[in-house]
Amino acid sequence: MKVLVARSGDEYFACQAVCPHQDVALCEGLFDGTVLTCHQHLWQWDIRSGAPRGLAEAPLECYTVEVDGDSIYIASPGALYVGELFSGIAEKTLAEINALARREEFTQGGTLYNVGDPAEDFFVLESGRVEFLIGRDDRTSPAGFMLRKGEVFGWAALLDSQPSRIAKATCLEHSTLLRINGREALKVLESDPASGYVVMRRLSSLIARYLASSGAR
Ligand code: FES
């Protein structure tokens, strides 16, 4: 998914990168610091809210932006619907977990975590490919399972019994992921036991699949 990020004063705002009228890149339009104008038919929007101005007949979809030092994180509402771990849980609970998600991009060869690192966050793969290696140094071997788009990994962050990583995760190509803090997600699930039960059942299936694939090596 492409996103347009604009700076207005000291703040950053993010919205859809393509005009809602036709397939035109909004980065080629005009921006006066508040109002974004598509150069094709001059639809305009307030970048702070996505609200239409003047001729525009549809709003822009906007995303929450979080700035942390030199990094800008953009949250995409509904992104976790693609994660099999959370499908079908209560909307309010999903929205609260979504609010915890930060989107990150990694270049090919980028390491998400190493064996022994603290297991604090789990991830949803939005695009790209991630490889898992077990063992250390030059005695590593593939962990034996592949990820599909939308799949959750790093789920040790959701387990009290597994405080550190047991595999190394590396991006095989440019990849986009959602990072979610496990402890914060568990707090949300504890406030909605019905959804928490669903997620924990699915998590146990994921672990069983992992054990089966590891045993098959
Ligand atoms: S394509 Fe953007 S206003 Fe028509």
Side-chain angles (χ1 to χ4, degrees):
M1 181 179 77
K2 288 188 179 169
V3 173
L4 181 133
V5 177
R7 183 173 175 175
S8 178
D10 291 335
E11 292 182 89
Y12 290 90
F13 297 89
C15 63
Q16 64 188 82
V18 175
C19 182
H21 184 209
Q22 291 176 3
D23 191 18
V24 170
L26 290 172
C27 63
E28 295 172 6
L30 305 168
F31 181 56
D32 69 1
T34 304
V35 175
L36 176 65
T37 304
C38 175
H39 72 286
Q40 196 72 7
H41 305 104
L42 305 181
W43 282 22
Q44 293 181 309
W45 304 268
D46 185 327
I47 197 69
R48 293 168 176 269
S49 63
R53 292 268 195 98
L55 300 173
E57 296 174 9
L60 286 182
E61 185 176 1
C62 292
Y63 311 104
T64 303
V65 174
E66 188 182 313
V67 178
D68 183 5
D70 292 337
S71 303
I72 297 177
Y73 298 96
I74 300 166
S76 172
L80 282 182
Y81 284 111
V82 298
E84 62 177 321
L85 197 55
F86 297 97
S87 64
I89 67 171
E91 273 185 32
K92 177 174 174 293
T93 302
L94 184 59
E96 289 177 24
I97 291 177
N98 248 331
L100 300 174
R102 295 190 308 179
R103 177 172 285 103
E104 295 183 2
E105 301 211 1
F106 291 82
T107 54
Q108 181 180 11
T111 299
L112 297 168
Y113 49 78
N114 273 298
V115 175
D117 284 353
E120 295 172 345
D121 302 322
F122 64 98
F123 302 85
V124 179
L125 181 65
E126 284 207 322
S127 65
R129 276 191 304 153
V130 176
E131 176 186 53
F132 298 89
L133 297 173
I134 54 176
R136 288 182 186 271
D137 303 324
D138 56 351
R139 294 201 303 265
T140 57
S141 60
F145 61 98
M146 298 289 293
L147 285 186
R148 299 191 307 269
K149 179 184 172 196
E151 201 157 5
V152 176
F153 66 97
W155 33 257
L158 291 167
L159 303 175
D160 287 338
S161 60
Q162 191 57 55
S164 55
R165 303 293 185 195
I166 57 172
K168 176 182 179 179
T170 306
C171 295
L172 288 177
E173 58 190 52
H174 186 277
S175 301
T176 306
L177 304 120
L178 295 176
R179 177 193 288 269
I180 300 156
N181 182 269
R183 193 173 294 269
E184 295 299 318
L186 284 174
K187 270 193 224 163
V188 171
L189 293 172
E190 280 165 14
S191 69
D192 175 6
S195 293
Y197 174 73
V198 170
V199 171
M200 286 305 148
R201 272 192 61 179
R202 292 195 179 130
L203 185 58
S204 65
S205 298
L206 272 176
I207 294 171
R209 197 166 79 207
Y210 166 76
L211 292 175
S213 59
S214 296
R217 282 181 299 107

